[in-house]
Amino acid sequence: MTPTNQHTSHHGEGGHHSGHAHGGHHEHVDRGQAEILDLDAEVLGEHMASIIAWLPLESEPRQIVDLGCGTGAGTFALLERFPDAHVTAVDTSAGYLQLLREKACARGVERRVRTVQADLDTDDWPDLGTPDLVWASASMHHMADPDRALTSVRELLAPGGLFAVVELAGFPRFLPADAPESRPGLEERAHAAADGFHAEHVPHRGADWGPMLTAAGFTVEDERTITVRIEGARSETVGRYAYGGLRRIRGVAAPALGPEDLAALDELLDTDSPNSLLRRDDLTVRTERTVWAARRA
Ligand SMILES: C[S@@+](CC[C@H](N)C(=O)[O-])C[C@H]1O[C@@H](n2cnc3c(N)ncnc32)[C@H](O)[C@@H]1O
């Protein structure tokens, strides 16, 4: 197959889709969000690989579509696991797709990746081939109308093909419950303060995708939740991941946080402060991922 870097329809992007960007190759890409996606891929890489290995596939997939691929966490894990496969990586963000293509070149797999810029919230999806595996990690909850998107995936899949939906209930936690010393429990309160924003803007995050998949005409073959706990005491990557994540939570939580909590959060996020998050040696990554493996009947 000849690889192409195809750019297709690019419709309006609800403002809640953080990381979205407008325009062509020279658009602004949200570097902070792109970095978090990359750190996420690095920190959770082993877990993603085990999810892929667990998928109840009937044969090795040759044509894979990665929906809402971001900077390629799933794309590259899938390419590694299935050396004969090609991946069509789809996202609204031209900036993410550009980063993904750069990585594909750096890894020497550019001939096995096609990027497609498209808004999956629209009815008219571009031609994505006839995949035998569709992968969507942390992207389905962004859809304005998930039922419609699931139906489009069913129509897209080859008969007997598999749809893997990987979802999360929330962003990872990093701090011990008694931290920071001045405001114990701050991290949970910051997340609680951000909940209102998420309920309004990403209401499908944390949803049970099983019944929705069944209603869209899939047979849910299996479902699995993995609990992740990674000790980060001496990991610079975990420090940066925690820092990037909490900085984004601060962005949405600030209006609903009390002044003492906000000040303590700002101290954690002040890289010059002796109390900076980056100086702590007690960070752990604690999160969960649930995967639904659904077959096109
Ligand atoms: C949380 S990121 C996950 C990225 C990647 N799948 C991963 O696991 O790292 C969600 C991605 O979905 C994309 N996205 C959100 N809404 C979309 C839409 N309507 N159409 C296409 N992509 C969308 C975002 O641009 C973003 O890259």
Side-chain angles (χ1 to χ4, degrees):
M1 192 186 90
T2 311
T4 52
N5 290 331
Q6 175 186 327
H7 288 265
T8 53
S9 58
H10 185 213
H11 300 266
E13 311 156 340
H16 61 279
H17 294 146
S18 58
H20 282 191
H22 294 265
H25 288 288
H26 303 292
E27 67 165 294
H28 162 77
V29 58
D30 183 338
R31 291 269 160 195
Q33 183 65 17
E35 195 195 355
I36 292 181
L37 291 181
D38 286 348
L39 287 167
D40 201 79
E42 193 178 333
V43 172
L44 302 181
E46 252 177 55
H47 293 90
M48 281 298 138
S50 80
I51 286 176
I52 294 172
W54 164 87
L55 292 175
L57 290 157
E58 285 169 352
S59 56
E60 289 252 319
R62 304 297 290 248
Q63 298 296 334
I64 303 174
V65 169
D66 182 1
L67 294 177
C69 57
T71 58
T75 299
F76 294 110
L78 290 159
L79 285 170
E80 193 168 323
R81 172 80 191 184
F82 304 116
D84 294 324
H86 286 79
V87 175
T88 300
V90 188
D91 208 285
T92 39
S93 165
Y96 286 170
L97 294 175
Q98 174 70 26
L99 291 170
L100 191 153
R101 281 194 298 274
E102 285 166 12
K103 281 190 212 169
C105 290
R107 293 169 192 222
V109 293
E110 68 276 18
R111 297 185 62 79
R112 298 172 55 210
V113 183
R114 177 172 74 114
T115 57
V116 175
Q117 188 185 6
D119 182 350
L120 300 169
D121 269 335
T122 61
D123 265 334
D124 53 336
W125 284 17
D127 181 6
L128 300 175
T130 310
D132 31 30
L133 173 63
V134 173
W135 170 269
S137 178
S139 53
M140 277 296 123
H141 69 260
H142 284 284
M143 299 299 127
D145 184 350
D147 295 329
R148 184 176 62 177
L150 297 183
T151 302
S152 301
V153 175
R154 186 176 46 75
E155 287 164 1
L156 171 70
L157 267 173
L162 199 72
F163 182 26
V165 180
V166 184
E167 278 293 333
L168 64 165
F171 200 75
R173 306 298 202 260
F174 300 96
L175 288 164
D178 59 359
E181 291 63 23
S182 61
R183 304 288 302 162
L186 171 65
E187 187 176 32
E188 279 313 318
R189 288 195 298 283
H191 280 276
D195 278 351
F197 175 90
H198 289 128
E200 188 182 342
H201 295 293
V202 274
H204 306 293
R205 201 178 72 165
D208 181 357
W209 292 82
M212 288 197 268
L213 285 159
T214 306
F218 287 95
T219 303
V220 178
E221 299 228 327
D222 216 340
E223 175 189 337
R224 176 189 179 199
T225 296
I226 57 160
T227 302
V228 178
R229 187 185 169 94
I230 301 166
E231 302 298 328
R234 276 173 290 281
S235 161
E236 197 221 334
T237 308
V238 168
R240 282 193 291 130
Y241 188 39
Y243 179 81
L246 269 175
R247 205 175 51 170
R248 289 200 88 83
I249 290 292
R250 188 217 183 273
V252 280
L257 265 186
E260 291 95 345
D261 275 347
L262 197 54
L265 187 54
D266 284 340
E267 202 174 5
L268 281 171
L269 294 173
D270 176 358
T271 51
D272 294 328
S273 162
N275 295 322
S276 158
L277 196 63
L278 297 181
R279 290 176 204 260
R280 299 192 72 101
D281 61 5
D282 58 357
L283 300 178
T284 54
V285 183
R286 305 185 299 279
T287 190
E288 274 187 3
R289 289 289 183 280
T290 301
V291 54
W292 288 263
R295 197 168 304 282
R296 179 185 158 159

